[in-house]
Amino acid sequence: VQSLTRYDETTDWQKKLTPEQYVVTRERGTEVPFSGIYLNHSEVGMYHCVCCDAPLFSSEAKYDSGTGWPAFKEAHGTWERDESHASIIRRPDNSLGSAGTEVLCKNV
């Protein structure tokens, strides 16, 4: 799988990221449900991409979906359901055995 990153090929992602961040962001991995540090995180602010620092979601849009992963009503930059100015893309994801949606940073 070719990287969509805006960084040049000399970026050493394994040095820049933790092992878990590397697997999730560079190898399309998924953290174990109910294990992530942001699942029960309630601090007010903005969630940013760990690779490029793009703003992705506001804490005001966060809700408990019961899935074991943080969930957000809308991405930062969404206007009346239009995500074209947001920093995310959505892709169908059936990797866990059921239909889901993978949310990725557009820049990575």
Side-chain angles (χ1 to χ4, degrees):
V1 176
Q2 185 177 11
S3 174
L4 300 176
T5 183
R6 66 182 179 177
Y7 295 95
D8 64 46
E9 295 301 317
T10 62
T11 301
D12 192 343
W13 292 110
Q14 288 183 315
K15 288 184 180 174
K16 179 177 171 62
L17 305 170
T18 68
E20 182 179 45
Q21 290 169 336
Y22 182 84
V23 168
V24 170
T25 63
R26 310 313 300 169
E27 297 181 344
R28 300 188 69 189
T30 302
E31 66 187 7
V32 175
F34 300 100
S35 70
I37 63 172
Y38 295 111
L39 179 62
N40 297 313
H41 187 80
S42 59
E43 191 173 320
V44 175
M46 188 66 63
Y47 292 83
H48 291 255
C49 175
V50 70
C51 294
C52 74
D53 202 36
L56 303 177
F57 300 100
S58 167
S59 61
E60 294 175 9
K62 188 174 182 212
Y63 70 97
D64 182 1
S65 66
T67 62
W69 293 285
F72 301 87
K73 295 176 201 156
E74 66 181 16
H76 175 71
T78 301
W79 178 257
E80 296 181 356
R81 300 182 57 126
D82 177 7
E83 292 183 337
S84 63
H85 296 287
S87 294
I88 67 159
I89 54 174
R90 297 179 188 268
R91 292 186 182 156
D93 181 9
N94 301 317
S95 64
L96 298 176
S98 62
T101 302
E102 179 180 28
V103 180
L104 304 164
C105 178
K106 278 184 184 176
N107 303 317
V108 178

